[in-house]
Amino acid sequence: VKVGDDSNGVRGLVTERACATGDVLLEVPLSLCISDGAEDNGDLAGAAPKWTWSLPWNVQLALAAHERKCDPSDAFLASWPTEPPPLPIACGPEELSLSSDPSLPTKADEAFFWLDEQYWLAREAAEAAGVQVAAEADAADAASTFPSVGAFREYMYFVWSRCLRLSTGPRHGTRRLLVPLLDLANHDAIPSAMYAYGCGEGCGPSIRLHAARD
């Protein structure tokens, strides 16, 4: 596969040659993924910082992504777009009113305030762990090891739109993961590929994308 555009102009993964059902289209080593952490099922190379493990999984992934984003040589985070996806939580009242779900505005409002609360809880955990935190919560300091309010919100948007949940075997259990390249596999009403955990001789424990049809 390669990164390209589908027939609707949506950026994502496209096949470069004919493939048969079951073919492995993409294989990403588990060690290159960003994952949530858990005391009871072993560390992963890309697990969120240990001081975040008491926080919700999505907060863990957002903070881990921010930490990696501060490294200019990290190709994974460099592949993300500059603007987060337009999730419902970020939409205005007029946009939300167009939804066929009348409860969506209320849910988006609740999520907005939940997100704000999680930022301050995460900030307290960071300070307790001795993590560098900018003097002003809203300071946009890219070099800081803790994000600003705005950056935290954007990382959460990315996590919600790109995260996978799957079992990674008996050692690591069920984890939430951000997987390089595989996070560009956009959804389809009739999926052309499916992802699964695997372990091969080439790269060991990995996340694979299999062709679901020819």
Side-chain angles (χ1 to χ4, degrees), residues 129-144:
V131 175
Q132 177 189 345
V133 177
E136 296 294 330
D138 289 316
D141 182 5
S144 173

Side-chain angles (χ1 to χ4, degrees), residues 63-87:
L63 295 172
H66 170 75
E67 190 175 78
R68 284 181 60 163
K69 185 69 172 177
C70 291
D71 179 2
S73 65
D74 193 293
F76 178 18
L77 275 294
S79 71
W80 284 8
T82 55
E83 296 293 328
L87 301 183

Side-chain angles (χ1 to χ4, degrees), residues 82-173:
T82 55
E83 296 293 328
L87 301 183
I89 185 177
C91 294
E94 291 184 1
E95 292 174 303
L96 291 173
S97 67
L98 300 175
S99 169
S100 58
D101 180 1
S103 68
L104 188 59
T106 300
K107 293 175 182 176
D109 199 42
E110 291 173 348
F112 181 90
F113 288 105
W114 180 86
L115 201 56
D116 189 61
E117 178 186 27
Q118 292 305 314
Y119 174 82
W120 291 105
L121 291 174
R123 187 180 171 90
E124 289 176 5
E127 291 173 338
V131 175
Q132 177 189 345
V133 177
E136 296 294 330
D138 289 316
D141 182 5
S144 173
T145 55
F146 194 82
S148 66
V149 172
F152 175 77
R153 188 176 297 279
E154 291 189 353
Y155 281 116
M156 289 290 282
Y157 293 169
F158 279 120
V159 167
W160 280 330
S161 67
R162 290 169 177 261
C163 176
L164 305 179
R165 178 184 182 275
L166 75 166
S167 173
T168 58
R171 180 180 176 187
H172 300 299

